Amino acid sequence: MGASLSNLSESGANGAANGPGLGDIPEACVACVFLYLTPPEICNLARLNHAFRGAASSDAVWETKLPPNYQDLLDLMPPERYQNLSKKDIFALISRPIPFDDGNKEVWVDKVTGRVCMSISAKAMSITGIDDRRYWSWISTEESRFHVVAYLQQIWWFEVDGVVKLPLPPDVYTLSFRLHLGRFSKRLGRRVCYFEHTHGWDIKPVRFELTTSDGQQASSESCLDDDANNGNMNGNLKRGSWIDYKVGEFEVTDSDPATEVRFSMKQIDCTHSKGGLCVDSVSIIPSSLKAQRRLVSKQLWN
């Protein structure tokens, strides 16, 4: 495709005698083609000539790339931030994280697919014992989009609950907890992990649950640690890295009324303690988003 576009562009530059070029295509026709392309593809083609640049700024084109509930996302911001903006500029604005609920939750539109994603910080969750420094502490880190994670030193009753309510566009969504076994820091520019508090996660699984305001439910269970007999790190793939634990899926069929999602994870078997765990956030993303992004990326490179 790239070679064909290049040849057409050169033809147009050398005059009409050599045949039609890209500059001869009406802007309205280019806009019709852009309706079927992704935002990155549109932005790349906008560099070709004046007609393509004009079509790439068309409100009619970018209206189709915005999620149906984009006004609900704009309402989370002061009106002066989006008044008088073109649809292209609105897409660029909401494709950056929009904080809400005291900045502990964020929502944004995926730049490639235009689908809505969300993240909820541990700061927005109810965590048993969080105010007792014997059990929990907050760690500042650049490894979290919220720049802070909750670190569990040791506890017997482990329970984390949260809720979010937002008008999501129709889609099937996956909810996941982002967790990390062990404490981490940087020493001499290198990332170092410590596991002196990490214990108890290989004995019984953690139970994850979600429910929605329209009655949907999902749950899963997972042992957060591999067999402790594997040693501190040898053969243990769960320590020292961030892992997304899938809770389940739920479907939104209508943005009105807003969907409320409640989620939790717990391990409340008090016969043993557990510790050495970082809790970062919960993510809510369209279930097929990653596969769709991989497909688009493959098409762009082919």
Side-chain angles (χ1 to χ4, degrees), residues 103-175:
N104 293 323
K105 301 173 184 176
E106 291 182 347
V107 63
W108 67 95
V109 169
D110 180 68
K111 294 179 181 179
V112 175
T113 64
R115 300 165 78 182
V116 174
C117 307
M118 193 187 312
S119 186
I120 302 103
S121 168
K123 281 278 188 180
M125 303 178 200
S126 174
I127 303 176
T128 300
I130 189 65
D131 295 324
D132 194 326
R133 294 295 297 272
R134 294 175 300 173
Y135 306 134
W136 291 89
S137 60
W138 294 103
I139 300 177
S140 299
T141 175
E142 293 302 311
E143 295 189 16
S144 167
R145 67 185 305 118
F146 297 100
H147 306 293
V148 66
V149 299
Y151 176 68
L152 172 64
Q153 297 181 75
Q154 177 173 292
I155 206 165
W156 280 261
W157 186 288
F158 173 75
E159 186 170 7
V160 179
D161 300 277
V163 61
V164 64
K165 186 176 184 179
L166 196 71
L168 291 168
D171 212 330
V172 177
Y173 296 88
T174 293
L175 186 146

Side-chain angles (χ1 to χ4, degrees), residues 162-291:
V163 61
V164 64
K165 186 176 184 179
L166 196 71
L168 291 168
D171 212 330
V172 177
Y173 296 88
T174 293
L175 186 146
S176 304
F177 276 87
R178 186 170 186 254
L179 309 176
H180 183 286
L181 275 181
R183 182 169 182 154
F184 54 89
S185 65
K186 280 193 174 182
R187 177 181 295 178
L188 300 177
R190 297 182 60 186
R191 188 178 190 270
V192 182
C193 293
Y194 308 92
F195 305 104
E196 68 272 19
H197 296 142
T198 305
H199 69 282
W201 302 110
D202 59 323
I203 301 174
K204 293 286 184 68
V206 171
R207 181 168 180 81
F208 302 93
E209 296 181 339
L210 75 82
T211 59
T212 65
S213 49
D214 62 354
Q216 298 179 68
Q217 300 181 25
S219 63
S220 64
E221 291 187 348
S222 180
C223 284
L224 304 188
D225 202 3
D226 289 329
D227 188 347
N229 294 328
N230 284 333
N232 207 28
M233 282 296 290
N234 296 332
N236 193 324
L237 302 178
K238 294 187 176 181
R239 294 190 176 196
S241 59
W242 288 103
I243 298 178
D244 291 321
Y245 287 90
K246 179 180 176 180
V247 180
E249 296 181 342
F250 63 94
E251 184 177 5
V252 175
T253 56
D254 197 336
S255 295
D256 186 22
T259 301
E260 181 181 87
V261 184
R262 294 185 177 273
F263 48 87
S264 67
M265 63 173 171
K266 60 185 68 175
Q267 215 294 28
I268 55 177
D269 183 344
C270 294
T271 60
H272 67 281
S273 65
K274 35 265 175 190
L277 178 72
C278 292
V279 180
D280 174 28
S281 59
V282 159
S283 65
I284 298 176
I285 65 172
S287 298
S288 61
L289 177 66
K290 293 181 180 178

Side-chain angles (χ1 to χ4, degrees), residues 21-57:
L22 286 177
D24 300 312
I25 303 177
E27 183 178 309
C29 292
V30 177
C32 288
V33 174
F34 281 179
L35 296 177
Y36 299 93
L37 301 183
T38 65
E41 291 172 327
I42 294 171
C43 293
N44 285 336
L45 291 173
R47 297 176 292 183
L48 287 175
N49 60 38
H50 180 74
F52 277 64
R53 282 194 299 273
S57 299

